[in-house]
Amino acid sequence: MGGLAFALFYKFLGIPIARLTDRVSRTGIMTAALALWSLMTAMCGLTHNFAQLFLARVGVGGRRGGRSRSGVLPHL
């Protein structure tokens, strides 16, 4: 998976999520990241134009950043 929307927000949301992981439960971070990633992935399939797809991809990138930054699962 790639693209500008995914790459930009994967990078920008990675550091704040990593800092949050140091303060709260990693299980909670993983649960929230998985739920929001699933929601945003479904939203990608429901889009009708480029702007909607761009915003949905932003969400996918940000939520995926939460998964890999928590250190629980390897980056896929």
Side-chain angles (χ1 to χ4, degrees):
M1 292 191 328
L4 181 62
F6 181 82
L8 286 177
F9 286 89
Y10 181 77
K11 289 293 185 186
F12 287 123
L13 292 176
I15 292 172
I17 292 170
R19 290 188 68 193
L20 183 64
T21 300
D22 290 337
R23 296 188 178 128
V24 295
S25 166
R26 289 181 184 209
T27 305
I29 296 287
M30 286 298 300
T31 302
L34 178 62
L36 291 170
W37 177 82
S38 297
L39 175 68
M40 297 309 288
T41 301
M43 293 302 294
C44 285
L46 298 173
T47 61
H48 294 287
N49 59 42
F50 180 76
Q52 292 173 345
L53 181 60
F54 185 86
L55 292 174
R57 292 293 293 158
V58 165
V60 170
R63 302 313 162 222
R64 194 164 169 199
R67 180 184 53 85
S68 65
R69 299 295 191 255
S70 66
V72 177
L73 293 175
H75 180 68
L76 298 176

